[in-house]
Every structure is written in structure tokens, then in C-alpha cells.
């Protein structure tokens, strides 16, 4: 199941937030942190609130720009360093390689649920019919009734929105997935579906980094539990 | 990247002053095909002046604006012949004004407004102009029966949608937008933003959007430049700038909105 | 016959002014359709009465010229009579109502029906010379549009006509492209006359006194009206022929005869109509001999 192809190679990254509005106060969060993840692995980050789990995940997505170190991801057969990549290279990595399930769905006004889920597939160049078919499959599997597909998810419940979010990212079958509490607001049945989706992804060779508090999901998906505090020098 | 590309627009060391007061100071950036660049900052930060310089509405004091034409020949718009520059503005570029009254012919029908750029580049078939106008009306979600109505009978949101149709009708490669949702009600704004977002994707246009609204920037732009006192103080992917602002001024901007 | 008035220079204007206008005319002829600015003088008539045309006529008229002046095609209306008398008193040249006999024809709002020949000069009185004015109020910008041949938006107005009325309703002052280069207003002549400007054997000069512009169409110049492929340019037609001379191919004026809806159509060009009648042509109204206009 696990092969050794390195997908994520984080080397010695440091991230300090400088808060200009609070007199330039410095908030060091990561210091010389390193992490390697291979294809088919699911690494779950562990640590107290404020230990840097989210900072690491956002650095992996390219949203946070570490002051030092490298965040290399396997993209189109090469390791691309997000720390030095050009913005449009990062966008290309996100389009084809890197999926991120955030805690909350960022709702785009008026866009239907089906289109939201199909969008990443379409930006990858799939034709519209195929993208919608796969989007429908995922929504069905996650228990979003067909009658809701034409509606924008703005008025959906938290759990429904989260399932739309998950469908959107899993439909595109990215080789690298970042998951931030993917099952937090789901009932047991839906959580079970997400666990299956994650397992399916792993068996395809997807490298996964997750933040999961909920013990059942964590136990079900994790291949390696990594305490963030031990990734580098103590911050 | 697998495809070798050139930037659609390369701005180098652009400066513009009004008398002794500098409005744009030594600004450089590149815009890539298909990219939407947001320029954010407060009033007086120089963002609108920069946009007007790019569009040739203001003369620049120094710098280069190199545009890669559809014909594949990059030209410096600062030194290019005015005829060439104006031709590009009518064909390969679009400009969506904050106030639709500045971007529309208010005394001419919606259909004539949409058809003008086509007529300007030589379309001489009335029936075709008419059907093109109809298809653009529906693309911007306006009822076809309004085709012969004057823009002044439209709501602000409809006027703005008409202005967008009028600009996109020649399938421009680059559209400049100056506060496109400014002055509109929030619900109307949302619809317009969604429309712009969809059309930009559908027609693969590159765009430069000037806005003071970080929510608009978040929704439309791939990349952001933050301007203050005529200078670019920070740039990066939209989520980088908004979620991890580095510059003091950007942190102030981001912290000043409820949610962006 | 009006006597020559003493104490005035020949043709009213001083020789320096005439030279200045001739220089402007030469430039206008050299660049067909291009509006040449000139130093328009105060004339002893109000603006709108043909001061531009009069200055052009004054600058080109010579002792051996024969002058004809028409207003809306007629030689006998107030404006035509006044201008003709003005030049009689200021030059003493021969005047005529006959298109064929004239060497100079000053006109307001019409081109004579009788085809013009080489050697004749047709001088138009022009109120508003700038065809782009309705589109763009700034003179600097309209000049730039001319310089760069940016005329596409002119079709917007024609488009609007068709969408409102089903056809181009611009009935006079129809926009034309001169020699494939400059856009020109055809002074306010009816569009019926527009084709007559095209490849005309005579020299055509245009003078706008208030707006201080002179432009020209030299003999045998290509002059095309703007139109759409599927709505080609066409001229007016009438349900009947001239009641007096029976002409079916001249521009007709409608004359209301009574308050019972009685009306008839007669040639706008009085000389043309008279010529035809003299040659034995007759229209429906002349047979019962009710009308003796």
C-alpha cells in the first residue's frame, strides 16, 4: 500500500509572524521544522492548539510563506519548492497536484453545488459533462441529495457544506491532499464515508497530511502520527 | 511549467507625478495569460492612476508598458504610435469603469452599446450585429426584450453588466476594471462578481481589477498587489497577501475588514 | 437689375482675406474631405444665412463668372434672392437661374438635378461641418479620430436608426466617406442628393462661416455613403411624379393645397422643372390647369 516515492519534503522551515499592529511583536510558530511524506502515507499532525499544525498545513499549501527553509512537493514529476516558486507556479501546483480541505467552505455567491464540486475538474481540463458526472458521483456518495445540486450551498447546514467541500477536493483526485478536520461537523455515517474516501485516495498513492482531533477518524486513517512540536527545534 | 509562456503585460519602472506630487512610483509587475491581478489600497494610493496609465488615459513620466499582442509582437505602449495603441484599446483591451455612465453611451440603446466596438473594427452586417448583441445580453443575464432600451432605464447593476458585455464583445485578451462593483448594493454586487468571475474563466481573459474591497479581491483575483503612496508595498497570491500579510499597511487593511 | 455699389472692394472681401480663403481652399482640394480651419470674417448677414458659402464664393468669383444661387433648390426664395443681389451689387457679374449657364452655383440644402459639368463650381453653405460632433463633443478628440480614421462608431447611429425604424432614417446630411479617407457631412442636403456628390464633374466647395471650416470634393472624387451590407444605402422615392413637369426622378416637395387633405408634389429644383415644361413635359396637375404656381 505504501510506496516510498517522496511526495512532500519539508526542510528546516521557520515561520514567525510579525504583528505590526501590536508594536511589531514577533510570534515564532515553526522553527527549523522538517517533514517527509511518501506516496500512500497519511500523516496526522498532533499537538496542542497553537503548536503550529495549521501553520504547517498552510505552509504546505503555499499560503504562508516561511522565512527559511524549503517546502518541496512532487509536481509533474519534479520537486517544486513552494517557498521560491513563482505565484503562477504555485497556482499550477494547486490546480493539478495539491488539494486542501479547509474547515469551512468558502461559499461563492450563486454558484450551484454541482458546479462548485465540478470546478476543479474543469480547470484541470476535463470536459464539462465528465466533470459534472464525477461531481455528482461524489455528492451522491457523501449523501447530498440530488435536489440540492442546483442550489448554491450558502444556505446548507454546516455538515452539508463540509461534505460539499470534501466532494470538491476528492473529485479532482489530487496526488497530495491536505485535510483540516475533515470530519469535524459530520455524523458517524458521513464520517465513515470520508474515511473510506481517504483510504481510497491512499490506495491510489495519494500522500496525505491531516489535522484530526476526532479519535475514531484519526485511528482509521493515520499511518503515522507526528507531534508538530518535535518536527524541529522547539519554538 | 510545461508551457513556455511570455507575460501578456510587463510593466517596468512606471512612474507618474502630478506636478510635484508623485502618484505612481517606480511600479513593476508582470501579468500572465489568464491571470486576474487585483490592485488593492485606499483612496489616493495610486491604484486608479496606475490603471489609467496602463490604459493610455494618462501619460506616464517614465517606464515601459510592454504588451504582447495577439499577433505575437510585444510593443511598448508608452512609445507606440497612438493609432496602434488606440486600436488595441478597441480590440484586444477592455476597460470597465466604476461609473457605467462613463463607460456607456447613455443616449444609445443596449444593442448599439454592445455593437459599437464591433462596428469600430469593421462589422457591417446589421443582422449579425443584432444577433451578437442578443447573445451577449443573455451572457450577462439581461432580458433580450431590453435590447432597444436606453441604459438610463436600467438599474445600476444592469448598467454595469451592459458595460461588461460592451467590453467583452470583441473578446479582449486583457480587461482593466476600476472598482467594478463600487456603488452597488451588496446583493447586486454578489451577482456581478459571480458574473465577472464566470466570464473571465469562460473567455480566458486576463484582468487587472482595482478595488478597495478585499472581499472583491478575494473572489476575483489570483494575485494581489497592495499599493500605498504610489508604491507597491506587498504582492503575492491572494491568499498569501490576505491570510499572511507581511507589510504593516497590508496588516492594517486586512484587520480593518470584518471578513475577507 | 441691381446697380454695382461704389466704395466696396470687388466681392466685398479685401484681397488679403480672399487670398487667405483661397489658400484654405487649395489645401481643402488637395486633401478631399478634410476640414481646413480658416479665419472666417464678419459678413453683412447673420450666421446661418450662408456666411461660409458667401465667403467662399467671394474668394473665387471673377468678372467673367455667371452666378446662380439656390436655396432648397429654388432661385426665388428670400435667402437665394438676397445673396444673389449681394453679389450683383458687390461684383456686377452676370447672374442666372439656369444651371447649365452658371459657372458658380452657391447652394443651400440641394444639389441641382441637372448634371453638373467640368468647369463649374458648386459652393455649399454648411451649418455644422463636423460629422463626429454628435458622437464626441471634444474638438481635440474629433480631430484625432479623423487623423486616425476612427470612424467605426459612426455606424452606431445607423444601427440605432434601423433598430428603431426598421431602416436608416437619416434623411439629410448623410455621412459619407470621401476618397476612402475622410468622413464628411454632406452639408444638409437630402440623402437623395448624396449620390450626386460621388464622381461629380464639377468642383464642390463647402464653407462653414460660424464654425470657420472649409472643405472640398475635387472633380471625379469617390464619395461613399456609410451603410450596412444588409441595409444598403438608398434614396427617397415618392408615390407620384412631379405634378407640373411629370419628372419621376427628381427630388419632390410636398405642397398642401387645402385643409381637406389635398396635396401635390412638385420638383424642388425650380429651374429643372421649368426646363422640362419648356421642353413639352407635363405632369398630372397641369392638364386640368388648376395650378399655376
Amino acid at each position: 500500500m505504501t510506496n516510498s516515492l517522496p511526495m512532500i519534503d519539508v526542510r528546516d522551515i521557520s515561520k514567525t509572524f510579525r504583528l505590526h499592529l501590536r508594536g511589531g511583536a514577533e510570534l515564532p510558530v515553526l522553527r527549523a521544522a522538517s517533514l517527509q511524506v511518501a506516496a500512500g502515507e497519511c500523516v496526522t499532525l498532533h499537538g496542542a492548539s497553537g503548536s503550529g499544525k495549521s501553520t504547517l498545513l498552510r505552509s504546505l499549501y503555499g499560503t504562508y510563506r516561511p522565512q527559511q527553509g524549503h517546502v518541496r512537493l512532487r509536481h509533474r514529476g519534479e520537486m517544486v519548492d513552494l517557498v521560491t516558486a513563482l505565484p503562477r507556479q504555485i497556482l499550477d501546483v494547486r490546480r493539478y497536484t495539491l488539494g486542501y480541505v479547509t474547515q469551512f467552505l468558502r461559499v461563492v455567491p450563486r454558484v450551484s453545488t454541482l458546479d462548485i464540486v465540478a470546478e476543479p475538474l474543469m480547470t484541470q481540463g476535463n470536459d464539462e459533462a465528465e466533470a459534472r458526472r464525477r461531481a455528482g458521483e461524489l455528492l451522491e456518495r457523501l449523501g447530498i441529495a440530488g435536489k440540492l445540486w442546483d442550489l448554491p450551498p450558502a444556505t446548507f447546514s454546516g455538515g452539508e457544506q463540509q461534505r460539499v467541500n470534501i466532494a470538491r477536493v476528492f473529485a479532482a483526485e489530487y496526488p497530495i491532499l491536505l485535510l483540516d478536520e475533515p470530519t469535524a461537523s459530520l455524523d458517524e455515517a458521513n464520517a465513515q464515508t470520508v474515511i473510506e474516501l481517504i483510504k481510497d485516495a491512499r490506495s491510489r498513492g495519494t500522500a496525505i497530511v491531516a489535522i484530526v482531533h476526532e479519535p475514531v477518524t484519526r485511528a482509521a486513517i493515520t499511518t503515522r502520527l507526528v507531534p508538530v512540536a518535535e518536527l524541529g527545534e522547539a519554538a | 511549467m510545461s508551457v513556455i509562456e511570455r507575460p501578456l503585460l510587463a510593466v517596468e519602472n512606471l512612474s507618474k507625478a502630478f506636478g510635484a506630487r508623485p502618484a505612481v512610483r517606480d511600479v513593476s509587475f508582470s501579468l500572465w495569460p489568464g491571470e486576474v491581478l487585483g490592485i488593492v489600497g485606499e483612496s489616493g494610493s495610486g491604484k486608479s492612476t496606475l490603471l489609467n496609465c496602463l490604459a493610455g488615459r494618462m501619460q506616464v513620466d517614465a517606464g515601459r508598458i510592454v504588451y504582447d499582442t495577439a499577433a505575437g509582437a510585444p510593443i511598448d505602449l508608452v512609445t507606440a504610435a497612438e493609432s496602434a495603441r488606440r486600436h488595441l484599446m478597441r480590440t484586444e483591451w477592455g476597460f470597465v469603469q466604476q461609473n457605467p455612465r462613463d463607460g456607456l453611451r447613455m443616449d444609445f440603446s443596449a444593442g448599439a452599446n454592445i455593437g459599437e466596438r464591433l462596428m469600430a473594427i469593421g462589422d457591417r452586417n446589421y443582422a449579425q450585429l443584432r444577433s451578437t448583441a442578443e447573445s451577449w445580453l443573455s451572457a450577462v443575464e439581461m432580458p433580450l426584450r431590453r435590447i432597444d432600451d436606453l441604459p438610463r432605464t436600467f438599474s445600476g447593476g444592469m448598467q454595469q453588466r451592459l458595460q461588461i458585455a460592451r467590453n467583452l464583445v470583441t473578446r479582449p485578451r486583457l480587461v482593466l476594471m476600476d472598482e467594478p462593483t463600487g456603488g452597488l448594493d451588496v446583493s447586486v454586487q454578489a451577482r456581478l462578481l459571480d458574473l465577472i468571475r464566470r466570464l473571465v474563466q469562460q473567455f480566458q481573459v486576463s484582468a487587472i481589477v482595482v478595488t478597495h474591497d478585499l472581499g472583491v479581491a478575494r473572489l476575483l483575483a489570483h494575485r494581489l498587489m497592495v499599493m500605498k503612496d504610489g508604491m507597491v508595498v506587498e504582492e503575492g497570491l491572494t491568499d498569501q497577501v490576505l491570510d499572511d500579510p507581511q507589510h504593516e499597511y497590508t496588516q492594517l487593511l486586512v484587520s480593518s475588514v470584518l471578513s475577507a | 437689375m441691381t446697380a454695382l455699389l461704389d466704395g466696396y472692394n470687388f466681392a466685398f472681401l479685401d484681397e488679403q482675406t480672399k487670398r487667405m480663403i483661397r489658400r484654405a481652399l487649395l489645401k481643402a482640394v488637395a486633401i478631399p474631405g478634410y476640414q481646413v480651419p480658416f479665419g472666417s470674417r464678419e459678413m453683412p448677414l447673420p450666421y446661418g444665412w450662408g456666411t461660409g458659402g458667401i465667403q467662399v464664393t467671394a474668394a473665387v468669383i471673377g468678372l467673367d463668372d455667371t452666378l446662380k444661387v439656390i436655396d432648397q433648390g429654388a432661385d426665388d426664395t428670400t435667402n437665394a434672392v438676397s445673396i444673389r443681389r449681394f453679389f450683383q451689387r458687390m461684383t456686377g457679374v452676370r447672374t442666372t437661374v439656369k444651371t447649365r449657364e452658371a459657372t458658380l452655383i452657391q447652394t443651400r440644402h440641394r444639389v441641382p438635378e441637372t448634371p453638373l459639368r467640368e468647369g463649374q463650381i458648386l459652393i455649399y453653405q454648411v451649418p455644422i461641418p463636423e460629422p463626429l460632433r454628435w458622437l464626441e463633443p471634444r474638438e481635440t478628440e474629433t480631430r484625432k479620430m479623423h487623423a486616425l480614421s476612427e470612424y467605426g462608431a459612426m455606424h452606431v447611429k445607423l444601427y440605432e436608426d434601423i433598430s428603431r425604424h426598421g431602416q436608416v432614417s437619416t434623411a439629410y446630411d448623410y455621412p459619407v466617406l470621401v476618397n476612402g479617407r475622410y468622413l464628411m457631412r454632406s452639408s444638409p442636403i437630402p440623402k437623395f442628393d448624396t449620390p450626386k456628390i460621388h464622381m461629380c464633374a464639377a468642383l464642390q466647395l463647402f464653407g462653414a462661416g460660424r464654425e470657420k471650416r472649409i472643405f472640398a470634393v475635387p472633380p471625379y472624387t469617390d464619395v461613399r455613403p456609410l451603410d450596412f451590407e444588409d441595409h444598403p444605402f438608398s434614396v427617397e422615392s415618392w408615390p407620384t411624379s412631379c405634378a407640373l413637369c411629370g419628372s419621376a426622378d427628381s427630388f419632390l416637395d410636398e405642397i398642401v393645397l387645402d385643409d381637406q387633405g389635398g396635396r401635390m408634389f412638385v420638383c424642388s429644383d425650380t429651374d429643372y422643372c421649368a426646363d422640362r415644361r419648356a421642353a413639352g413635359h407635363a405632369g398630372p396637375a397641369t392638364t386640368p390647369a388648376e395650378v399655376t404656381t
Side-chain angles (χ1 to χ4, degrees):
Chain A
M1 198 162 95
T2 308
N3 67 41
S4 58
L5 185 67
M7 297 298 287
I8 299 172
D9 183 14
V10 176
R11 294 278 169 182
D12 304 321
I13 61 166
S14 296
K15 178 65 184 170
T16 299
F17 293 94
R18 189 179 167 86
L19 309 174
H20 291 283
L21 303 181
R22 284 195 228 152
E26 299 212 334
L27 195 67
V29 178
L30 295 175
R31 190 170 295 169
S34 296
L35 173 70
Q36 285 75 42
V37 184
E41 265 197 292
C42 179
V43 169
T44 300
L45 303 178
H46 176 63
S49 183
S51 62
K53 302 188 296 293
S54 292
T55 298
L56 178 59
L57 213 57
R58 287 178 188 173
S59 299
L60 283 169
Y61 196 61
T63 298
Y64 286 177
R65 292 166 283 187
Q67 282 88 2
Q68 281 168 16
H70 305 282
V71 177
R72 295 196 184 89
L73 303 181
R74 182 170 299 279
H75 171 62
R76 296 179 190 264
E78 287 171 34
M79 297 305 275
V80 174
D81 186 356
L82 295 190
V83 177
T84 55
L86 296 169
R88 62 205 184 89
Q89 290 176 310
I90 298 177
L91 289 178
D92 198 62
V93 170
R94 290 179 184 175
R95 176 181 295 181
Y96 293 103
T97 299
L98 188 58
Y100 186 12
V101 176
T102 51
Q103 282 198 55
F104 301 100
L105 176 65
R106 194 177 286 282
V107 177
V108 180
R110 297 205 316 148
V111 181
S112 79
T113 298
L114 192 65
D115 286 347
I116 285 179
V117 177
E119 190 189 5
L121 286 164
M122 272 151 69
T123 60
Q124 287 179 351
N126 294 289
D127 77 65
E128 197 175 326
E130 170 64 10
R132 283 162 173 267
R133 191 191 59 75
R134 295 219 346 238
E137 256 175 36
L138 260 292
L139 286 169
E140 211 158 287
R141 197 163 162 194
L142 285 157
I144 303 290
K147 63 180 180 197
L148 298 176
W149 294 1
D150 289 335
L151 301 176
T155 54
F156 291 5
S157 72
E160 282 167 336
Q161 289 196 6
Q162 181 62 344
R163 280 178 278 150
V164 172
N165 208 5
I166 289 164
R168 175 180 158 91
V169 176
F170 277 86
E173 298 191 354
Y174 300 103
I176 299 174
L177 283 179
L178 311 175
L179 311 175
D180 191 356
E181 302 286 4
T183 55
S185 47
L186 303 186
D187 62 27
E188 207 176 309
N190 282 314
Q192 203 52 50
T193 307
V194 173
I195 290 166
E196 283 163 25
L197 282 171
I198 293 170
K199 285 179 171 169
D200 288 353
R202 275 184 45 217
S203 66
R204 283 195 305 271
T206 305
I208 300 168
V209 178
I211 300 173
V212 184
H213 280 108
E214 197 273 309
V216 176
T217 307
R218 183 151 82 182
I221 65 170
T222 303
T223 59
R224 182 151 58 104
L225 188 67
V226 172
V228 179
E230 291 167 24
L231 285 176
E233 302 159 25
Chain B
M1 303 284 291
S2 62
V3 191
I4 309 285
E5 295 180 315
R6 279 195 301 226
L8 188 65
L9 188 72
V11 175
E12 298 165 19
N13 309 106
L14 196 75
S15 290
K16 167 77 183 171
F18 297 113
R21 195 173 64 81
V24 173
R25 292 199 248 183
D26 201 26
V27 168
S28 301
F29 67 91
S30 293
L31 182 77
W32 296 85
E35 189 176 42
V36 178
L37 174 69
I39 304 178
V40 298
E42 291 170 337
S43 313
S45 60
K47 55 194 194 315
S48 289
T49 303
L50 174 60
L51 203 67
N52 282 320
C53 286
L54 297 180
R57 287 153 183 258
M58 281 180 191
Q59 215 158 8
V60 306
D61 298 336
R64 280 157 46 92
I65 303 170
V66 181
Y67 169 69
D68 191 18
T69 62
I75 62 166
D76 180 1
L77 297 174
V78 175
T79 55
E82 190 172 19
S83 55
R85 199 171 49 67
R86 286 169 68 117
H87 182 75
L88 284 176
M89 295 303 140
R90 288 198 305 271
T91 52
E92 297 185 21
W93 288 42
F95 196 114
V96 175
Q97 307 256 13
Q98 173 174 9
N99 189 335
R101 279 193 296 280
D102 299 330
L104 291 173
R105 287 194 189 281
M106 298 303 280
D107 299 329
F108 285 88
S109 67
N113 268 285
I114 295 175
E116 177 170 344
R117 276 168 72 110
L118 293 172
M119 291 183 246
I121 58 171
D123 278 21
R124 294 290 178 267
N125 188 295
Y126 176 80
Q128 264 169 32
L129 287 163
R130 189 101 180 144
S131 69
T132 305
E134 282 177 352
S135 69
W136 274 99
L137 279 179
S138 58
V140 297
E141 303 172 8
M142 286 175 63
L144 294 189
R145 63 186 158 76
R146 302 300 300 266
I147 190 167
D148 293 326
D149 293 350
L150 299 182
R152 78 166 74 91
T153 65
F154 296 164
S155 68
M158 280 172 87
Q159 287 179 358
Q160 205 57 306
R161 297 207 297 278
L162 180 61
Q163 201 193 169
I164 287 163
R166 171 180 160 85
N167 272 282
L168 291 187
V169 68
T170 52
R171 300 291 188 86
R173 301 166 76 223
L174 173 60
V175 177
L176 310 182
M177 301 188 206
D178 190 3
E179 303 277 7
T181 60
L184 298 176
D185 291 343
V186 175
S187 62
V188 178
Q189 254 189 33
R191 182 174 184 190
L192 187 69
L193 282 174
D194 173 44
L195 183 80
I196 292 174
R197 200 174 153 274
R198 192 162 49 72
L199 292 175
V200 161
Q201 266 174 14
Q202 187 178 348
F203 296 106
Q204 286 294 298
V205 290
S206 305
I208 298 177
V209 183
V210 159
T211 179
H212 68 276
D213 185 331
L214 299 184
V216 169
R218 167 87 79 179
L219 205 57
L220 289 182
H222 298 119
R223 199 152 61 83
L224 288 187
M225 289 200 320
V226 183
M227 285 189 74
K228 182 183 188 322
D229 299 332
M231 286 183 292
V232 176
V233 296
E234 181 162 356
E235 60 186 310
L237 289 172
T238 300
D239 56 315
Q240 289 175 339
V241 172
L242 296 183
D243 297 340
D244 184 18
Q246 307 288 313
H247 191 274
E248 184 175 357
Y249 178 67
T250 316
Q251 291 190 358
L252 180 67
L253 275 185
V254 170
S255 68
S256 305
V257 291
L258 296 174
S259 64
Chain C
M1 196 66 199
T2 316
L4 188 64
L5 212 60
D6 270 349
Y8 285 90
N9 195 38
F10 179 77
F12 185 77
L13 294 176
D14 62 273
E15 295 305 312
Q16 286 301 332
T17 299
K18 286 194 223 169
R19 251 181 234 131
M20 174 271 291
I21 295 174
R22 285 178 203 140
R23 278 196 295 271
L25 286 168
L26 281 174
K27 185 171 180 180
V29 168
I31 317 170
Y34 173 73
Q35 299 168 51
V36 183
F38 80 110
S40 182
R41 297 292 188 257
E42 289 304 314
M43 298 302 285
L45 278 91
Y47 288 127
W49 284 65
T51 53
I54 292 169
Q55 290 180 78
V56 171
T57 300
V60 300
I61 197 166
L63 277 171
D64 50 1
D65 271 316
T66 303
L67 177 69
K68 171 181 165 78
V69 182
I70 49 172
D71 174 9
Q72 305 268 24
D75 298 84
D76 54 3
T77 55
T78 315
N79 191 255
V81 169
S82 313
I83 293 171
R84 191 163 54 235
R85 259 169 46 91
F86 173 76
F87 279 110
Q88 279 170 347
R89 297 171 78 188
M90 291 294 139
T91 65
V93 302
R94 228 162 67 79
T95 60
T96 183
V97 296
K98 297 281 169 211
T99 301
R100 280 177 231 284
E101 289 174 9
T103 54
L104 292 182
I105 303 170
Q106 182 172 330
T107 178
R108 174 176 173 265
H109 294 192
R110 277 307 314 274
V111 178
E113 304 290 358
T114 309
L116 301 178
R117 56 177 160 76
E118 289 181 20
Q120 288 182 311
I121 302 178
L122 185 61
I123 297 163
Y124 296 79
Q125 303 168 199
V126 177
I128 301 168
E130 180 50 73
L132 300 168
R133 183 61 67 229
W134 66 271
L135 196 70
E136 173 55 60
R138 290 168 296 179
E139 176 70 16
T140 50
E141 186 64 17
T142 53
R143 285 204 202 182
K144 203 167 275 176
M145 291 165 82
H146 282 295
L148 302 175
S149 292
E150 286 181 5
Y151 296 143
M154 279 301 288
H155 277 81
V156 172
K157 193 168 187 299
L158 305 183
Y159 168 97
E160 205 72 337
D161 273 357
I162 300 171
S163 62
R164 292 231 174 102
H165 311 291
Q167 60 186 16
V168 174
S169 63
T170 302
Y172 64 92
D173 218 354
Y174 200 95
V176 291
L177 195 65
V178 179
N179 199 28
R181 177 60 184 84
Y182 282 99
L183 189 72
M184 187 183 91
R185 280 177 100 119
S186 55
S187 91
I189 58 171
K191 70 175 178 178
F192 180 86
D193 286 343
T194 307
K196 296 181 194 162
I197 309 177
H198 174 63
M199 296 307 276
C200 178
L203 170 63
Q204 301 173 83
L205 303 176
F206 300 76
R210 179 173 37 207
E211 301 284 326
K212 303 177 173 53
R213 292 289 184 277
I214 281 171
F215 49 105
V217 176
Y220 303 112
T221 300
D222 185 87
V223 177
R224 306 277 175 183
L226 303 186
D227 61 3
F228 287 106
E229 295 159 6
D230 47 349
H231 286 264
F233 175 82
S234 64
V235 298
E236 304 90 324
S237 57
W238 286 266
T240 177
S241 53
C242 172
L244 302 178
C245 75
S247 171
D249 54 7
S250 88
F251 188 84
L252 302 182
D253 285 337
E254 183 179 352
I255 294 177
V256 176
L257 297 174
D258 50 41
D259 57 3
Q260 312 295 309
R263 58 176 190 166
M264 68 174 194
F265 289 90
V266 298
C267 286
S268 141
D269 185 334
T270 50
D271 169 56
Y272 176 78
C273 194
D275 256 12
R276 278 180 54 88
R277 277 178 283 159
H281 295 286
T286 47
T287 340
E290 287 165 3
V291 183
T292 49
T293 311

